[in-house]
Amino acid sequence: MSHYDVVVIGASAAGTTAATTARKFYPDKTIAVISAADDVLIPCGIPYIFGTVGDSRKNLIPVDKIMAANKIDLMKTKVLELDRDKRLLKTSDGTTVGYDRLVLATGSKPVVPPIKGADKDNVFAIWKDVVYLDAMKEALDKAEHMAIIGGGFIGAEMAEESRKRRPDMPITIVEMQDHCLQLVYDPELCQMAEDALREEDITIMTQERVEEILGDGKVTGLRLTSGKTVHADLVLLGIGAVPNTELAQASGLDLDGMRAIAVDRYMQTSDPAIFACGDCAGKVSFFDKTPSGLRLASIATMEARIAGANLFGHTRSNQGVVGCFSTVLNKNAYAAAGLTYAQATEKGYDVVVGEAKSINRHPGLMEGAAMLDVKLLFERGTGTILGGQIQGALSGGELINAVSAFISNRMNATDIALFQAGTHPALTASPIAYQLVNAAENALMTMRS
Ligand SMILES: Cc1cc2nc3c(=O)[nH]c(=O)nc-3n(C[C@H](O)[C@H](O)[C@H](O)COP(=O)(O)OP(=O)(O)OC[C@H]3O[C@@H](n4cnc5c(N)ncnc54)[C@H](O)[C@@H]3O)c2cc1C
């Protein structure tokens, strides 16, 4: 039997970050990470295995190197049992590991909906597993018609990357909401994203719910509740993820109302010796502390930096989920942070919008010049920023991180209008036309009128 001061279960975004943070905060402690996956995928890179990157083995977190560099022991085996009374773990290779502090970073599993036929051959959920995804890539190479259930960012990215691999294959996205990406963007941005996908010859069916996955053994299509059918010999499920809590649940740890591991703002579970972070851990909204179902790598690593630091004394606390997303569709960035207009009004805010659009270079003939649209949402009265959305030049994918920082620091429209942004002709918009500043100025004008 081995014993460590700190054991982390899981070596993906949350587990790796929790372990390396623990190393920074506790240089003298013994630390081990236990990973069920031999090869840990870069989770956000999964869609790109099918197109741009082309190979699952080129999309791996270099876990062995990271752990060796941080003097952390890495065990590649699955934890089967957690005995909280004895502070012991039992693994699938027969090892017993003791701990003083444990971090659960067991992640999530894709949602497989209770739709009739979801178990047919050639129906794939997006498991973060190299062997499974390689089989999916093989099926994609042989397929004649593909359908994707769910038009969120995973469905949209999977559609676009599959298009790169299979330029002529019919691809259909079936989405039950009014728009694809509706949970993260306001309608006008959703429409632009849908247009971008249509330009790549991807068929989009919105306000359509799948009633049955058809076929005799192998999938042949989808039947929708509207009565329509979609021909498909390959179906991908892109409808979200659920927390992987098997180990936590079996050991008697508390779960929250959304079936995630219950944690406090220090990422501590109902057992003071055990912390949880990432997709397996419960989350609350930054804005009103109501439960949040958002599961992102950016959230997982933030939580891991809190859990890893707090193991032997509370030094950091979690303010809740802001939610910061970005994607690229047809060479344009689509990015969002915080609340959409609909979410903000639903939470009771009186919302004021400020928009600004300009080229991201000055003068506009500089190399790489492209239009960048910024929309910021503020609370009337206080002027506090609630959210932002950016579309256009690829630099929007980084600019949205400034919006996320504005939100986290509860900045108001005047703070943003006066913030000192670094600008350069070859890198950014001109300081006169800087989109974030001008969007805030425009919102202030509306608030004054
Ligand atoms: C296709 C796709 C694209 C995405 N794109 C983005 C994006 O662009 N940006 C973004 O922010 N987020 C994105 N996400 C979300 C992001 O992937 C997750 O939020 C992130 O993976 C969460 O990290 P995690 O470490 O909590 O969990 P996971 O990545 O799920 O990892 C959990 C790990 O724990 C291990 N494990 C579980 N149980 C055990 C056990 N009993 N013993 C040992 N090991 C165990 C697993 O093997 C796994 O490696 C995407 C997700 C998908 C599926």
Side-chain angles (χ1 to χ4, degrees), residues 9-10 12-14 36 43-44 79 105-108 128 153-154 278-279 296-298:
I9 305 178
S12 181
C44 314
V79 178
T106 50
S108 58
K128 293 169 226 148
F153 71 95
I154 292 177
D279 281 7
L296 288 168
S298 51

Side-chain angles (χ1 to χ4, degrees), residues 35 37-41 57 60-61 64 76 128-130:
S35 167
D38 277 343
D39 294 314
V40 183
L41 287 153
R57 270 133 194 114
L60 300 178
I61 302 177
D64 298 71
K76 293 193 176 174
K128 293 169 226 148
D129 178 310
V130 169

Side-chain angles (χ1 to χ4, degrees), residues 8-16 34-37 39-48 75 77-80 105-109 126-128 153-154 157-158 241 244 247 277-281 295-301 303 324-327:
V8 178
I9 305 178
S12 181
T16 294
I34 307 180
S35 167
D39 294 314
V40 183
L41 287 153
I42 298 172
C44 314
I46 289 173
Y48 302 93
M75 299 175 211
T77 179
K78 184 171 182 179
V79 178
L80 298 179
T106 50
S108 58
K109 303 189 260 190
I126 320 285
W127 285 90
K128 293 169 226 148
F153 71 95
I154 292 177
E157 288 173 6
M158 285 302 308
N244 179 9
L247 209 54
C277 52
D279 281 7
C280 65
R295 309 209 176 276
L296 288 168
S298 51
I299 298 168
T301 49
E303 292 176 348
C324 188
F325 307 81
S326 44
T327 192

Side-chain angles (χ1 to χ4, degrees), residues 226-436:
S226 62
K228 291 179 194 157
T229 54
V230 177
H231 186 40
D233 60 352
L234 173 65
V235 170
L236 306 189
L237 305 171
I239 48 180
V242 284
N244 179 9
T245 57
E246 276 163 39
L247 209 54
Q249 222 176 332
S251 74
L253 284 175
D254 289 350
L255 299 189
D256 68 9
M258 297 184 94
R259 312 295 301 157
I261 303 170
V263 287
D264 61 15
R265 63 199 168 110
Y266 305 109
M267 307 313 295
Q268 207 159 13
T269 68
S270 51
D271 179 335
I274 303 179
F275 292 69
C277 52
D279 281 7
C280 65
K283 311 194 187 311
V284 294
S285 161
F286 170 83
F287 297 93
D288 58 7
K289 308 300 178 220
T290 54
S292 168
L294 276 180
R295 309 209 176 276
L296 288 168
S298 51
I299 298 168
T301 49
M302 174 273 290
E303 292 176 348
R305 287 186 192 101
I306 297 170
N310 286 349
L311 292 170
F312 297 93
H314 294 166
T315 55
R316 290 178 166 177
S317 82
N318 188 352
Q319 300 307 304
V321 168
V322 167
C324 188
F325 307 81
S326 44
T327 192
V328 184
L329 298 174
N330 205 2
K331 301 187 183 70
N332 273 319
Y334 292 81
L339 302 175
T340 62
Y341 192 94
Q343 289 160 351
T345 48
E346 205 174 288
K347 285 188 188 290
Y349 292 107
D350 184 359
V351 181
V352 177
V353 173
E355 292 180 88
K357 182 174 181 168
S358 73
I359 282 178
N360 67 335
R361 299 283 186 272
H362 55 291
L365 50 76
M366 295 291 285
E367 198 185 319
M371 199 53 87
L372 196 63
D373 261 330
V374 171
K375 174 179 180 181
L376 299 179
L377 277 55
F378 298 92
E379 182 185 23
R380 194 184 294 277
T382 65
T384 307
I385 184 162
L386 301 170
Q389 290 163 49
I390 297 181
Q391 188 276 330
L394 296 185
S395 52
E398 282 291 353
L399 203 63
I400 200 68
N401 294 331
V403 178
S404 178
F406 295 161
I407 297 170
S408 302
N409 288 290
R410 298 190 168 78
M411 287 168 71
N412 65 30
T414 303
D415 297 330
I416 298 167
L418 300 181
F419 105 101
Q420 298 174 43
T423 58
H424 183 275
L427 296 173
T428 68
S430 107
I432 300 167
Y434 198 72
Q435 300 92 342
L436 292 176

Side-chain angles (χ1 to χ4, degrees), residues 35-76:
S35 167
D38 277 343
D39 294 314
V40 183
L41 287 153
I42 298 172
C44 314
I46 289 173
Y48 302 93
I49 292 171
F50 299 90
T52 311
V53 172
D55 186 344
S56 54
R57 270 133 194 114
K58 291 183 185 160
N59 179 53
L60 300 178
I61 302 177
V63 174
D64 298 71
K65 270 193 201 155
I66 296 172
M67 299 310 164
N70 285 281
K71 297 190 172 49
I72 294 167
D73 285 353
L74 175 62
M75 299 175 211
K76 293 193 176 174

